[in-house]
Each structure stands twice: as structure tokens, then as C-alpha cells.
């Protein structure tokens, strides 16, 4: 009897655990929606206003935000980003030749002009240019996004800690950041990739490290301003710990510039990654636009298609992220409200 | 007087950063895989030869000793020798040879870019949300998102091969000869020695790289100039000027422009620093044999001394440019006092 009861309780626990695991994703999404909406809707944190006033402000600002975001250039940007992401996700359905076709093989017809079989021409080893364009989208995004997330997360943490605990800690951290900023970024990236090795993870890591000082500086300035505001003092009086003040009270109020520059930087990183792979600092197992241009650069005189199309893809992708960044800045930046 | 004091203080404040960059380059260069000894040896060598060469380069010493040795050498002006680009020549020689070429391209592009970029930025802001604004903004956005090496390749294809009106690669027609080395700047040397055709040839080769770099720089300067001009146009004193009946042209030219251009100076300076360091891509595309090209060789073949020397030089220039900008600020904006 007793053992049966025990078994029952164990089974219950297991089923509960299963349920909670299933709900984790839902809970994360709910948390984002309920806690982080201020990222997208200005004024949504002003909950102290009278309820009606609050509702009014919210709808107005929401409408304003959407209206400002709805400028034609921004819509083009969103469309471009959306289609690039679609290409990256569904690459296997869009290519003419499977991925295995491009590994360790040589085909006849190097640098042949466009034909019915190869709509955009062929590369140095006889590969199909069009399919390589499709495969390159995923490579760009998978390297750029984690790299920039890495630098945002660590840059924000370092910047907040430096500004909040000012004094010697701040001085030391900021001197290190100054040194990293004074070092030319492209050169540092090449040296780091050379040290770590030419693998996708390491290229991401190198880029992540490079971006940290920028975000740390960006957030440090605004934290220094926000630190002296009354709400920080009242949080401290209410007994909030330093960690809580830093990440629950200050961070949400200073994160908007980060969100804006984040979008720009995705474009910037894709651009400089293309530059690095053009110079040969790339993961040789991946298909990259920049390296395709490198391979075809020597034959620009008689086979321009092999280097023209990858470049067009880079321009379009970067342009998409820049347009979205521009739109977000116009919509979110309170200084440009009247423009 | 206070200005001199300020400059002195700034230089003192830059010293720790310089020191840090030196340390960082030293650590990073020692971490690089690859062996700098191999470049000093002939193609076939014995173990004894290898060990002797290693000893001669001072790589058998403890790392800390090497570090202090390196520091003392850097500050006495001995930046070591390179074995990858040229066998056993001092790094300074390579820098003197390569840097002027990079400098030429950078200075021409920055001058062209600031003249055009500031102009277009002001025009775009003046006609906000009109056709001209959208046009220049779109062009600037494309300029920001275009890869410089790809633009170079396309220009090469168009003007070098398709229309065939400009030389596509290199910095001189092969076999045309060099002017005597006087100031190390090829263009000035040509003029001093009176070899006009050499100067023309050189300029002809520089057109495409300069166009390429300035297009990208114009884009970022335009964006900066436009947004700071818009910010200024929102100010109270502009409204006052309009209210008292000043012509729109006068409002823009005498009231707004000067205030708006001050923030753009920062962008121009930063871009110039970036052009010097980032010319690697352009130089590779156009096969110009400049500083960036040397740097690439240094990284690929683990040349400690060349890498450290070039990075140090670029850092010094970067810091000097920042200092000059801050001094320039005081001249442009009399409200700033140091």
C-alpha cells in the first residue's frame, strides 16, 4: 500500500515536471509580452498615470509608433529582412542543387556565362552561382546574430556595472574598453580569427568580443544619467538589492538606444564579415558571399557575374537591416519626435 | 596657453592607451599560430640553422624579457626587422615605403568626401521629406551598406575593362619608372623632379580607389550632416531668425550651417582614421601595395615585428587625429574653452 502511494506521488511529480517543461516556452513568451513591451511601445511603463489617461496615452503612442514605422522606406526594409530570413530558413527548398553538390567537387564549365541550367552563371569550380547565393544567406545571419547578441549581453552587463559602481572599477573597465576601441577593429578581428582558428564559432566569438566596448560605452553614459534620478533612490529606500536596481529598475529605462543601434549593427557586422571572408578569413566549410567574390575577383574582366551577384546580395541584406534601423530610430527616438 | 596645457594633458592621458595597445599587440602576436623563424630561413634548412635563427631573433628568452626588450626598443625608435615582405629590412623602411600610398588615397578621399558630403547633407536637411531628401538619403543608405571591395570590383569592370578608359589595378603602369625619393609622397616627388607624366600616371591609377573610398565616406558624412542639421533647425534661435524675417537662405547659411557642421567634424576625423586602417580591402582589390597589404602579409605569415609596428603606427595616428579634432572644436566653437 505504502509503496503504491509513493509510486503515485512520484508519477504525479513527473507529470507535473513535464507540464512545467511544456509551459516554459509559453511562460517565456508571456513574460516578454508582459514585461518588455516598453521596448516597442513608448510610455507603456507610465503605469502610475490615472487608468484612463494611461489607456489614452498608450493607444496614442502605439498609433504614433506604428504610424512612424509605416514610412515606405521602413516597410521596404522590413520586407527585405523578412525575405532574407525566409531564404535562410527555407534554403533547401529554394536552391536548384542540394548542398552536398557543393562539397569537395569540381564540375566542368568554370566561369561559364549564365545558361538554362545555371541561371546566373558558374563559379571557379563550376558551381551554380544562384544556389550559392541562397546558401550564403543562412551563413551571414547565423554568424552575425549570435555575435551581436554576445556583444550586446556582455557589453550591457559590463557597462551597467561600471557605471553603477563608479570609482576605480569604472576607471579600470573603461580604460580596457578604450584600449580595445583604439585598436583598429578590422585588424583586431583578423588577428583574433587567426589565433582562434577559422571556424564559425570562433569567428562569432571574435566579433562578439569586438562589439563589447561599443555597447558598454553606449549604455554607461545613459546609466550615469539615470543613476541620479529619484526612482533609483526610492528603490534603494524600499530595500531593493543592487542587482535588482541595476537590472530591474535602470536597465529597462536605458535600453532603447541599444535596441536602435543593435539593428544597425546587424547590417554592419554582415558587411564586415563579408570583408573578412573576402580577405580569406572565413570558415572554409561554409558557403559565403564574401569568399565567393574573392574567388571570382581575379576574373572580373571576363566573368563578372560570379562576383556581381554575391555583392548584390550583401548590399540588399545590409540595406534591409539599415532601413529597419533607420525606421526604428525615427519611431523610438524622442528627440526626433516632431520630424 | 591653456590650449598648450590642454594638449599636453591629453597626450599624457593617451599614454596609458598607447601602452595598453602595445601590450595587447604583443600578447596577441605571441598567441598567433605559426612560426616567425621560418620566414628568416632558406627553403631547406637544418635543425642547427633553425635553432641559431631562433636564438638570433631573441625568441628563446622568457616572454617577459622579450616584452620589456620590445618596449624599450619601440620607444628608442627601433621597431625591429621584417623577413616576410623583404628579407631583413627594418620595419621603418617598409612603413616609409608603404604608408605614403595609403595616406595619398585616404587624404584625397576624405577631402572629396567632406566637401560633397557636407553639401548633400545640408541640402537633404533643407528639403526635408521632399524628393531631394529622399534621394540623398537613399543614396547615403546604399553607400553605407555597399561592400567597399565589391564596389571596387564593379568599378574595375566598368571603367577598367568594359569602357576601358582607366587603369584597373596597380598604382603605376608597369615599367614606367619611379621618381627619386625625396619626400616619400610619390605625387610631390614627381612634381619636384619635374616628371609630370609620372604624376599624371599615378593620379590616373588613383581615380578608381579614391572614388570607391570617397563614395562610402560621403554616405556616412551625409547622414551625420543631415541629422545634425535637422537638430539645429529645431532650435529656438532658428525660429527667432525666421520670425524676425531673415531669408531662408540666410537662416541656413549664417545661422544653422556653422552650428550643424561641428558634430560632423567628429565623423570626418573618425572616418579618416578608419580609412587609414580599413584601406586593407581597397588596397587588396586594386592591388596597390599599401600599408594594409603589408599588414595582411604580416598576419598571414606571423611577422611579429611588422604587425606590431603597423598597428602601433595606426593607433598613434588615430589618437593624434582625435586630439587634433578636439583642438579644432575649440576653434570652430568659441563656446568651448579648455
Amino acid at each position: 500500500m505504502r509503496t503504491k502511494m509513493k509510486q503515485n506521488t512520484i508519477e504525479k511529480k513527473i507529470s507535473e515536471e513535464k507540464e512545467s517543461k511544456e509551459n516554459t516556452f509559453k511562460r517565456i513568451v508571456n513574460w516578454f509580452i508582459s514585461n518588455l513591451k516598453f521596448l516597442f511601445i513608448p510610455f507603456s511603463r507610465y503605469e502610475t498615470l490615472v487608468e484612463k489617461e494611461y489607456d489614452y496615452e498608450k493607444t496614442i503612442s502605439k498609433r504614433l509608433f506604428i504610424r512612424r514605422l509605416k514610412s515606405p522606406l521602413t516597410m521596404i526594409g522590413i520586407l527585405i529582412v523578412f525575405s532574407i530570413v525566409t531564404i535562410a530558413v527555407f534554403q533547401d527548398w529554394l536552391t536548384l542543387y542540394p548542398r552536398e553538390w557543393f562539397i569537395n567537387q569540381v564540375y566542368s564549365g568554370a566561369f561559364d556565362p549564365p545558361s538554362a541550367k545555371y541561371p546566373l552563371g558558374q563559379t571557379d569550380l563550376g558551381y551554380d552561382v544562384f544556389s550559392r547565393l541562397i546558401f550564403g544567406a543562412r551563413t551571414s545571419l547565423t554568424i552575425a546574430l549570435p555575435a551581436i547578441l554576445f556583444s550586446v549581453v556582455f557589453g550591457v552587463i559590463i557597462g551597467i556595472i561600471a557605471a553603477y559602481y563608479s570609482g576605480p572599477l569604472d576607471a579600470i573597465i573603461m580604460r580596457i574598453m578604450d584600449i580595445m576601441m583604439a585598436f583598429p577593429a578590422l585588424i583586431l578581428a583578423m588577428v583574433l580569427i587567426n589565433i582562434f582558428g577559422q571556424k564559425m564559432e570562433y569567428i562569432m566569438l571574435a566579433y562578439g568580443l569586438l562589439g563589447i566596448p561599443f555597447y558598454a560605452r553606449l549604455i554607461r553614459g545613459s546609466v550615469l544619467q539615470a543613476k541620479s534620478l529619484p526612482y533609483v533612490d526610492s528603490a534603494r529606500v524600499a530595500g531593493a538589492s543592487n542587482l535588482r536596481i541595476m537590472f530591474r529598475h535602470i536597465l529597462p529605462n536605458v535600453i532603447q538606444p541599444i535596441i536602435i543601434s543593435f539593428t544597425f549593427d546587424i547590417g554592419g557586422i554582415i558587411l564586415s564579415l563579408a570583408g573578412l571572408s573576402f580577405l580569406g578569413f572565413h570558415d572554409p566549410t561554409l558557403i559565403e558571399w564574401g569568399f565567393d567574390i574573392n574567388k571570382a575577383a581575379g576574373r572580373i574582366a571576363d566573368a563578372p557575374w560570379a562576383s556581381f551577384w554575391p555583392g548584390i546580395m550583401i548590399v540588399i541584406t545590409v540595406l534591409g537591416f539599415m532601413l529597419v534601423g533607420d525606421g526604428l530610430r525615427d519611431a523610438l527616438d524622442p528627440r526626433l519626435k516632431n520630424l | 596657453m591653456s590650449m598648450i596645457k590642454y594638449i599636453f594633458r591629453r597626450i599624457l592621458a593617451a599614454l596609458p592607451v598607447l601602452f595598453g595597445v602595445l601590450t595587447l599587440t604583443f600578447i596577441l602576436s605571441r598567441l598567433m599560430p605559426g612560426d616567425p623563424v621560418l620566414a628568416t630561413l632558406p627553403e631547406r634548412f637544418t635543425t642547427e640553422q633553425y635553432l641559431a635563427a631562433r636564438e638570433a631573433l631573441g625568441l628563446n628568452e622568457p616572454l617577459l624579457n622579450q616584452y620589456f626588450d620590445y618596449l624599450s626598443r619601440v620607444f628608442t625608435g627601433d621597431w625591429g626587422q621584417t623577413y616576410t615582405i623583404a628579407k631583413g629590412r627594418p620595419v621603418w623602411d617598409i612603413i616609409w615605403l608603404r604608408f605614403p600610398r595609403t595616406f595619398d588615397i585616404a587624404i584625397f578621399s576624405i577631402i572629396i568626401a567632406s566637401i560633397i558630403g557636407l553639401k548633400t547633407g545640408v541640402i537633404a536637411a533643407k528639403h526635408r521629406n521632399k524628393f531631394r531628401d529622399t534621394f540623398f538619403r537613399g543614396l547615403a543608405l546604399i553607400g553605407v551598406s555597399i561592400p567597399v571591395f565589391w564596389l571596387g570590383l564593379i568599378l574595375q569592370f566598368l571603367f577598367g575593362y568594359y569602357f576601358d578608359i582607366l587603369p584597373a589595378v596597380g598604382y603605376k603602369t608597369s615599367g614606367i619608372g619611379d621618381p627619386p625619393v625625396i619626400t616619400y609622397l610619390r605625387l610631390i616627388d614627381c612634381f619636384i623632379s619635374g616628371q609630370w607624366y609620372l604624376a599624371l600616371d599615378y593620379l590616373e591609377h588613383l581615380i578608381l580607389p579614391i572614388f570607391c573610398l570617397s563614395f562610402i565616406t560621403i554616405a556616412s558624412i551625409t547622414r551625420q550632416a543631415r541629422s545634425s542639421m535637422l537638430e539645429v533647425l529645431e532650435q529656438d534661435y532658428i525660429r527667432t531668425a525666421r520670425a524676425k524675417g531673415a531669408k531662408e537662405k540666410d537662416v541656413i547659411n549664417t545661422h544653422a550651417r556653422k552650428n550643424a557642421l561641428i558634430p560632423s567634424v567628429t565623423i570626418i576625423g573618425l572616418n579618416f582614421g578608419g580609412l587609414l586602417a580599413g584601406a586593407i580591402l581597397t588596397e587588396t582589390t586594386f592591388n596597390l601595395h599599401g600599408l594594409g597589404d603589408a599588414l595582411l602579409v604580416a598576419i598571414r605569415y606571423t611577422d611579429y615585428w611588422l604587425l606590431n609596428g603597423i598597428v602601433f603606427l595606426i593607433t598613434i595616428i588615430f589618437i593624434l587625429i582625435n586630439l587634433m579634432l578636439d583642438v579644432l572644436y575649440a576653434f570652430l566653437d568659441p563656446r568651448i574653452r579648455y
Side-chain angles (χ1 to χ4, degrees):
Chain A
M1 188 65 192
R2 237 182 163 182
T3 48
K4 222 181 182 182
M5 277 217 356
K6 234 183 183 175
Q7 229 167 10
N8 262 341
T9 48
I10 288 171
E11 272 175 18
K12 236 184 191 173
K13 262 188 187 169
I14 288 173
S15 65
E16 268 175 24
E17 262 181 33
K18 256 189 184 169
E19 258 182 39
S20 71
K21 256 183 197 167
E22 278 171 7
N23 283 336
T24 319
F25 179 70
K26 237 183 201 172
R27 264 170 34 211
I28 290 172
V29 170
N30 277 335
W31 184 83
F32 264 95
I33 292 172
S34 54
N35 283 312
L36 293 179
K37 58 189 173 198
F38 57 85
L39 297 182
F40 308 106
I41 310 165
F43 298 111
S44 64
R45 272 189 91 76
Y46 285 22
E47 285 158 25
T48 46
L49 294 172
V50 187
E51 206 169 301
K52 230 178 179 179
E53 208 176 3
Y54 167 69
D55 277 349
Y56 175 73
E57 285 282 351
K58 216 169 105 178
T59 42
I60 287 286
S61 62
K62 216 181 200 168
R63 262 184 229 155
L64 267 179
F65 174 78
I66 290 169
R67 201 170 71 203
R68 284 198 217 108
L69 206 58
K70 254 165 60 182
S71 81
L73 280 181
T74 318
M75 293 321 279
I76 295 174
I78 290 173
L79 202 73
I80 291 174
V81 169
F82 182 74
S83 41
I84 291 291
V85 171
T86 314
I87 289 174
V89 172
F90 298 108
Q91 57 176 16
D92 294 330
W93 297 355
L94 294 167
T95 54
L96 300 178
Y97 301 91
R99 213 189 141 78
E100 294 77 43
W101 202 78
F102 293 93
I103 300 169
N104 296 328
Q105 299 192 53
V106 182
Y107 299 93
S108 62
F111 291 117
D112 270 5
S115 58
K117 229 174 138 195
Y118 307 100
L120 296 180
Q122 281 172 290
T123 67
D124 55 336
L125 299 179
Y127 295 152
D128 178 31
V129 171
F130 176 76
S131 302
R132 285 181 81 86
L133 293 187
I134 303 285
F135 286 122
R138 189 183 281 183
T139 312
S140 288
L141 293 183
T142 40
I143 293 181
L145 290 179
I148 206 155
L149 277 178
F150 183 90
S151 36
V152 166
V153 169
F154 282 90
V156 164
I157 291 174
I158 288 173
I160 288 190
I161 288 174
Y164 189 78
Y165 289 109
S166 51
L169 184 69
D170 180 34
I172 292 170
I173 290 179
M174 280 301 134
R175 280 302 84 69
I176 295 173
M177 298 290 137
D178 276 352
I179 291 167
M180 277 175 79
M181 292 273 264
F183 214 102
L186 190 67
I187 299 172
L188 193 53
M190 291 197 298
V191 172
L192 282 180
I193 291 171
N194 198 358
I195 292 171
F196 292 154
Q198 297 190 345
K199 264 188 158 179
M200 192 171 80
E201 302 92 304
Y202 300 143
I203 295 173
M204 278 180 213
L205 183 65
Y207 259 93
L209 286 175
L210 277 177
I212 289 178
F214 174 73
Y215 287 105
R217 271 179 154 226
L218 192 66
I219 202 151
R220 178 176 171 270
S222 27
V223 171
L224 281 179
Q225 278 179 358
K227 210 174 70 170
S228 56
L229 291 177
Y231 72 87
V232 176
D233 286 336
S234 45
R236 196 171 292 127
V237 169
S241 66
N242 281 334
L243 266 179
R244 197 183 160 80
I245 294 176
M246 274 192 274
F247 291 102
R248 286 294 302 240
H249 294 263
I250 295 180
L251 179 63
N253 284 293
V254 295
I255 205 149
Q256 270 196 4
I258 298 274
I259 300 285
I260 294 165
S261 74
F262 172 81
T263 336
F264 277 116
D265 276 16
I266 296 174
I269 282 204
I270 290 175
L271 198 61
S272 53
L273 274 174
L276 274 187
S277 50
F278 175 71
L279 292 175
F281 293 86
H282 73 300
D283 187 341
T285 58
L286 296 173
I287 296 173
E288 267 184 89
W289 294 327
F291 192 65
D292 278 4
I293 298 178
N294 174 15
K295 283 281 185 189
R299 294 287 297 272
I300 184 76
D302 54 345
W305 48 85
S307 46
F308 178 75
W309 292 111
I312 287 283
M313 284 303 279
I314 297 172
V315 174
I316 290 175
T317 312
V318 178
L319 189 67
F321 282 106
M322 295 274 177
L323 282 172
V324 173
D326 249 14
L328 263 184
R329 191 192 55 195
D330 287 351
L332 286 176
D333 199 341
R335 277 182 309 146
L336 300 169
K337 217 188 253 169
N338 299 324
L339 299 185
Chain B
M1 193 58 219
S2 68
M3 182 69 97
I4 295 169
K5 233 183 192 167
Y6 170 76
I7 293 174
F8 188 68
R9 229 182 32 232
R10 279 291 303 268
I11 291 176
L12 273 187
L15 278 182
V17 174
L18 265 185
F19 192 73
V21 168
L22 269 179
T23 314
L24 192 63
T25 31
F26 182 82
I27 295 170
L28 287 177
S29 64
R30 300 298 142 138
L31 283 175
M32 288 207 302
D35 196 342
V37 182
L38 295 179
T40 68
L41 293 166
E43 225 166 275
R44 290 161 178 272
F45 56 86
T46 58
T47 319
E48 287 80 39
Q49 269 176 322
Y50 177 84
L51 289 175
R54 204 176 162 79
E55 185 68 41
L57 288 176
L59 293 173
N60 282 340
E61 304 259 324
L63 261 186
L64 214 58
N65 282 8
Q66 286 184 38
Y67 174 61
F68 287 118
D69 186 46
Y70 169 67
L71 275 191
S72 61
R73 272 160 175 244
V74 163
F75 284 110
T76 51
D78 174 16
W79 287 13
Q81 286 160 344
T82 173
Y83 293 92
T84 46
I85 287 191
K87 290 269 180 227
R89 278 178 82 177
V91 169
W92 266 115
D93 270 17
I94 304 291
I95 288 176
W96 275 118
L97 203 69
R98 298 288 186 111
F99 180 65
R101 235 166 271 153
T102 308
F103 182 76
D104 276 346
I105 307 171
I107 196 101
F108 275 122
S109 351
I110 203 76
I111 289 172
I112 294 171
S114 13
I115 292 171
I116 299 178
L118 293 178
K119 199 102 193 158
T120 49
V122 170
I123 292 174
K126 213 158 72 177
H127 303 272
R128 190 172 71 205
N129 292 337
K130 301 271 171 52
F131 170 74
R132 262 177 275 189
D133 180 27
T134 321
F135 177 73
F136 284 130
R137 260 178 96 187
L139 209 63
L141 259 173
I142 290 174
V144 172
S145 40
I146 218 165
V148 63
F149 54 94
W150 181 74
L151 180 63
L153 281 175
I154 297 303
L155 289 175
Q156 267 180 32
F157 172 70
L158 279 181
F159 296 104
Y161 301 113
Y162 192 76
F163 297 125
D164 198 14
I165 43 176
L166 286 171
V169 289
Y171 64 96
K172 59 172 188 181
T173 312
S174 59
I176 199 169
D178 295 305
V181 176
I182 303 164
T183 58
Y184 287 98
L185 289 169
R186 191 180 163 94
L187 202 59
I188 296 175
D189 284 353
C190 291
F191 284 134
I192 289 178
S193 60
Q195 288 162 304
W196 294 92
Y197 62 99
L198 277 184
L200 275 181
D201 180 67
Y202 186 50
L203 278 180
E204 207 177 26
H205 278 85
L206 288 194
I207 289 176
L208 286 185
I210 288 173
F211 181 86
C212 195
L213 274 181
S214 47
F215 185 72
I216 281 152
T217 318
I218 285 170
S220 65
I221 293 178
T222 304
R223 281 163 70 88
Q224 175 62 37
R226 177 182 176 273
S227 69
S228 58
M229 189 74 187
L230 281 181
E231 223 165 274
V232 168
L233 285 178
E234 292 282 304
Q235 299 284 325
D236 287 339
Y237 60 84
I238 297 295
R239 202 180 308 136
T240 312
R242 281 193 183 132
K244 76 177 189 199
K247 281 179 208 149
E248 187 62 26
K249 201 173 133 198
D250 289 342
V251 171
I252 298 279
N253 285 345
T254 58
H255 294 262
R257 179 178 281 167
K258 207 173 169 188
N259 281 308
L261 294 195
I262 291 169
S264 311
V265 171
T266 326
I267 290 292
I268 293 174
L270 286 179
N271 264 311
F272 187 63
L275 282 183
L276 286 178
I280 303 171
L281 288 167
T282 330
E283 280 166 15
T284 318
T285 316
F286 288 102
N287 202 6
L288 284 174
H289 297 291
L291 202 61
D293 194 52
L295 189 79
L296 210 58
V297 173
I299 292 177
R300 281 224 180 100
Y301 299 100
T302 333
D303 192 333
Y304 293 166
W305 299 275
L306 190 61
L307 175 69
N308 292 349
I310 294 175
V311 170
F312 192 47
L313 179 82
I314 291 176
T315 317
I316 291 176
I317 293 172
F318 213 77
I319 290 172
L320 279 183
I321 286 174
N322 273 326
L323 179 62
M324 263 157 49
L325 282 182
D326 285 345
V327 176
L328 197 66
Y329 253 56
F331 281 112
L332 289 178
D333 192 347
R335 284 170 301 182
I336 298 174
R337 292 252 174 274
Y338 296 118

